[in-house]
Amino acid sequence: MAQRNTLQYIILGLLSQAPRTGYELTQDFAHEIGEFWQAQHSQIYPLLGKMEAQGLIAHTVEVTGTKLEKKRYRNTAEGQAVLTAWVGSPTPTMATTKDEFVLKLYFVQRADDTRLPGMIKEQLRIHREWLQHLEARRQLLFADPDAASQQFGHYLILDHALTRERQYVQWLEEQLARLPHN
């Protein structure tokens, strides 16, 4: 089965919210979308050209200052139809995560491995910091109860991320407590 180009759907979704420049799209991946999906500048810009050639998006040129030209992209009717169809389509596969820490754990042979306490403590620090970041994002974006109803999908994603991080921190704490060397 061919893999979907999920990045194109994310771009269509962002453009459905408001027209954006390539730079603004890149910033969305660094902040909002980056909490659950990664994409680099080197992936985004070539895809914009491809999507425009396919008729999914179009751009207008804006001049800022005396010389700087920026392309501001928006969805075409065809692009909006593709996005609408994708959002409503089934998601039949379970997502897999690439977690290097968990992969390393797979190769640890013994509970008394002296590397384990340090590894787990490092992950606890990282995940606690990320949990604090997510809690701050929720406070910033959804302190007003009406905000959650206006951006319900974003609210659900953030709630999912918070739940996942709380469970990960709890699991790490439990594993650290089980170790003979902690």
Side-chain angles (χ1 to χ4, degrees):
M1 175 193 253
Q3 185 178 10
R4 298 185 201 197
N5 184 354
T6 305
L7 181 55
Q8 95 173 352
Y9 299 116
I10 297 169
I11 290 172
L12 288 170
L14 290 168
L15 294 178
S16 75
Q17 295 173 345
R20 288 171 162 83
T21 64
Y23 176 78
E24 290 167 338
L25 288 165
T26 301
Q27 291 303 299
D28 286 332
F29 280 95
H31 301 290
E32 299 303 320
I33 301 296
E35 294 176 8
F36 57 92
W37 200 275
Q38 301 293 313
Q40 303 302 317
H41 172 275
S42 61
Q43 297 170 284
I44 295 169
Y45 279 89
L47 186 55
L48 289 171
K50 182 178 176 184
M51 292 171 67
E52 190 162 28
Q54 294 171 339
L56 300 175
I57 62 174
H59 78 271
T60 55
V61 176
E62 295 178 354
V63 178
T64 56
T66 57
K67 295 183 182 180
L68 183 62
E69 289 187 0
K70 295 191 282 186
K71 292 181 180 180
R72 184 161 301 277
Y73 295 92
R74 63 169 174 74
N75 285 350
T76 62
E78 183 178 347
Q80 194 60 40
V82 166
L83 173 64
T84 299
W86 173 73
V87 169
S89 69
T91 309
T93 58
M94 191 168 95
T96 58
T97 59
K98 294 181 180 179
D99 186 332
E100 186 177 351
F101 170 69
V102 171
L103 181 61
K104 287 178 179 182
L105 288 179
Y106 182 78
F107 295 107
V108 172
Q109 300 296 315
R110 300 174 46 93
D112 63 353
D113 188 316
T114 58
R115 299 172 294 180
L116 279 173
M119 292 169 63
I120 293 174
K121 287 175 184 176
E122 175 188 49
Q123 289 299 306
L124 262 170
R125 179 189 55 77
I126 291 167
H127 285 275
R128 284 175 177 153
E129 286 174 3
W130 188 244
L131 181 57
Q132 286 178 335
H133 165 77
L134 293 172
E135 288 171 341
R137 294 292 299 158
R138 181 174 61 186
Q139 182 61 30
L140 176 70
L141 298 172
F142 300 110
D144 176 6
D146 291 335
S149 64
Q150 294 170 4
Q151 297 180 5
F152 192 62
H154 191 168
Y155 173 80
L156 289 175
I157 294 301
L158 190 52
D159 186 61
H160 175 263
L162 282 160
T163 300
R164 180 192 65 230
E165 286 306 309
R166 285 185 194 113
Q167 290 174 339
Y168 206 122
V169 166
Q170 179 183 352
W171 176 77
L172 287 165
E173 290 169 343
E174 290 169 0
Q175 301 321 307
L176 186 60
R178 287 184 181 163
L179 295 179
H181 310 291
N182 67 25

